[in-house]
Amino acid sequence: MFKTAFKALLPLLERGALTADRAFSGYVQPRRARGKLLLQPYVGWGTPNRVELRGRVLLPRTVAPARRTDPRIRNAQNVLRRLFSREVGGVTVSGVLNGQRAAAISDSDGYFTLEFTPTSPLPGGWHQVPLQLDGREVQASARVQVVADARFGVISDLDDTVIQSDVTSVPRMLSTVLTGNARTRLPFPGVGALYRALTRDGEARNPIFYVSSSPWNFFDLLWQFLDYRRIPLGPLFLRNWGMDLLGGHGGYKHGVIEQIFQRFPDLKFVLVGDSGEKDPEIYAEVVHRHPGRVLAVYIRDVTEAHRDEGVLKLREEVRKAGVDLVLAADSLNAASHAMAMGLITPGEYRSVLTSVARSYET
C-alpha cells in the first residue's frame, strides 16, 4: 500500500522539486554567470556527416589530481566536490570542427550540446574541437570520435563490468565509490586486454561506447580511470545528477542504446554488461528488437546463483534469435567466444589470457 501511495505521489514530488529548482536557478544563475567560469567538455561522437558534442558550464572547483597514495578522506572530499557542482545556465558556448562553427546556450543545469554537419565528410577517428565561452577568455579542447569503416562496435556498461564497484552491496558500493579515485579504483581481470582486442581491427579501429547510470559529475574520474588503466577510450553516456536519477535504469540505458543503433544503422555491435542490474534483460530486448544487429552478448557474473538462473533463461531466449549470451566471472570466456567468432585473433586471446593470469597472481 505504501509503495502504491508513493508511486501516486511521485509525479507531484517531481513537479514540486522541478518548480523549486527553477525558482532557485532563476535566482542564482544570473549571479553565477558574472563570476569565473569553467568549461567542461565531454566526448563528442558521430558519423562523417553528423557529430554531436555535449559539455557543461560550471563554476570552478578544486579537485586535486589523483594519486595512488591519496588518503580516503581526500578522495571522499573530491567526490563530494564533484557531486555538489555549481552549474551555470544562459551562457553561449561555441566550437569549431573542420572549419565549421556551432554554438549553443547552456541550460539551467549547465549542459550544452553542439551539433556539427560538416560540408565534406570527416575521416574516421579522433578529432579535436576547440571550445570557447562567447565574450570571455574561457577556452577548452574536446575530443570527438567519428565512426567510419568500422567492422563492428562495442557498447559496454562501466560499473561492475569494467570497474569494480560492488553495486550488488550498497555499503560496499558506497565505500568503494566515495573513498576511491581514478588511480585506486580497480578494473576487472583482463578487461583492458579484451577491450583492446575488440576495438583493434588491423590498422582500423572499432568504436566503443560506455553507457552508465553514474552521474555526469563523475565524467573526469571515469575518463582518467580508463586512460590510466589503458582501457580503450570512447564516448561516455552518463546521467544527469538530480531527479533524472529517480527514473529507471533500464529505460535510460535502453534509450541510449537505441540512439546509438539509429545513428549507425549499418553497424553491428557486441554488448557487454554485468548481472548486477538489468543488463541481461536490456540486451535481450535489444537483440529481439534489432534482428541481426547484435553479434554477441557478454555478461560478467557478479551475483548469486538465484540471479544466474534468470540470466541463463534469458540466454536460451537470446540463443533462439541466433545470438550467444556468455555469462562468465572474468574476461577469458568472453575472449574465447570472441576468438571463435573471429572478432579477435588468437594472439589477442593469448594477451587476455596472460592479463587474467597476472591479475590472479597478484
Side-chain angles (χ1 to χ4, degrees):
M1 182 175 179
F2 174 78
K3 187 175 181 180
T4 302
F6 178 76
K7 284 185 176 181
L9 287 174
L10 187 57
L12 294 175
L13 294 173
E14 290 178 342
R15 284 197 293 270
L18 182 60
T19 300
D21 181 66
R22 286 175 176 171
F24 177 75
S25 295
Y27 175 77
V28 302
Q29 293 288 4
R31 291 161 176 79
R32 287 179 177 175
R34 292 194 291 267
K36 186 178 180 181
L37 302 180
L38 170 71
L39 189 53
Q40 170 68 76
Y42 300 133
V43 183
W45 65 290
T47 68
N49 300 306
R50 182 186 174 192
V51 171
E52 178 180 306
L53 171 62
R54 198 177 191 196
R56 205 173 189 190
V57 181
L58 303 165
L59 293 184
R61 64 190 179 198
T62 303
V63 177
R67 297 176 300 181
R68 292 185 61 86
T69 56
D70 284 346
R72 289 176 175 267
I73 185 63
R74 180 177 298 170
N75 293 334
Q77 290 171 344
N78 287 335
V79 166
L80 292 176
R81 289 189 182 105
R82 289 184 174 95
L83 288 177
F84 294 102
S85 60
R86 295 171 295 172
E87 58 276 0
V88 182
V91 178
T92 300
V93 182
S94 62
V96 179
L97 175 60
N98 199 35
Q100 183 193 24
R101 181 181 182 275
I105 299 175
S106 59
D107 64 17
S108 60
D109 289 322
Y111 295 104
F112 65 87
T113 301
L114 301 180
E115 296 185 356
F116 299 91
T117 53
T119 55
S120 58
L122 295 168
W126 289 101
H127 299 258
Q128 292 289 332
V129 177
L131 301 175
Q132 184 171 356
L133 294 184
D134 286 9
R136 295 172 179 261
E137 295 183 359
V138 179
Q139 298 179 344
S141 181
R143 299 185 69 175
V144 168
Q145 179 179 250
V146 174
V147 179
D149 301 323
R151 188 157 63 105
F152 60 88
V154 180
I155 297 177
S156 173
D157 184 36
L158 276 171
D159 294 313
D160 269 353
T161 298
V162 175
I163 182 171
Q164 297 184 31
S165 300
D166 293 314
V167 296
T168 57
S169 170
V170 173
R172 290 200 304 269
M173 178 192 69
L174 290 175
S175 175
T176 300
V177 172
L178 294 178
T179 64
N181 65 37
R183 297 294 181 98
T184 62
R185 299 287 300 274
L186 297 175
F188 281 95
V191 68
L194 174 62
Y195 281 26
R196 288 193 295 273
L198 288 171
T199 57
R200 188 169 48 235
D201 188 20
E203 295 183 358
R205 184 181 187 275
N206 296 320
I208 186 166
F209 305 90
Y210 296 99
V211 184
S212 170
S213 288
S214 293
W216 280 109
N217 306 59
F218 288 167
F219 169 81
D220 64 321
L221 186 153
L222 295 171
W223 184 263
Q224 292 167 20
F225 166 84
L226 294 172
D227 187 48
Y228 177 67
R229 296 294 180 177
R230 295 183 57 241
I231 300 171
L233 300 174
L236 274 65
F237 297 85
L238 308 178
R239 300 187 72 176
N240 185 16
W241 177 259
M243 294 301 293
D244 286 357
L245 291 181
L246 294 177
H249 167 79
Y252 151 77
K253 193 165 191 176
H254 195 276
V256 173
I257 294 174
E258 286 292 319
Q259 185 181 4
I260 296 172
F261 270 57
Q262 291 172 12
R263 186 66 59 89
F264 308 106
D266 299 323
L267 197 62
K268 296 184 179 182
F269 288 91
V270 173
L271 308 180
V272 190
D274 64 83
S275 60
E277 293 184 300
K278 294 294 183 181
D279 287 347
E281 289 79 1
I282 295 169
Y283 292 167
E285 185 177 348
V286 172
V287 168
H288 291 300
R289 184 171 294 192
H290 299 278
R293 295 288 307 277
V294 178
L295 296 171
V297 177
Y298 299 137
I299 299 295
R300 187 176 300 282
D301 187 2
V302 296
T303 48
E304 302 296 333
H306 69 280
R307 171 58 172 160
D308 293 349
E309 292 177 4
V311 176
L312 293 178
K313 290 180 180 178
L314 283 173
R315 182 179 67 178
E316 296 306 315
E317 295 179 14
V318 169
R319 184 171 291 169
K320 293 177 183 177
V323 178
D324 288 334
L325 185 156
V326 179
L327 177 66
D330 58 36
S331 302
L332 196 56
N333 283 357
S336 177
H337 181 272
M339 181 182 67
M341 288 194 63
L343 302 179
I344 67 175
T345 66
E348 290 167 337
Y349 169 78
R350 286 193 293 273
S351 295
V352 179
L353 174 61
T354 301
S355 178
V356 171
R358 287 175 178 171
S359 298
Y360 289 130
E361 288 174 358
T362 57

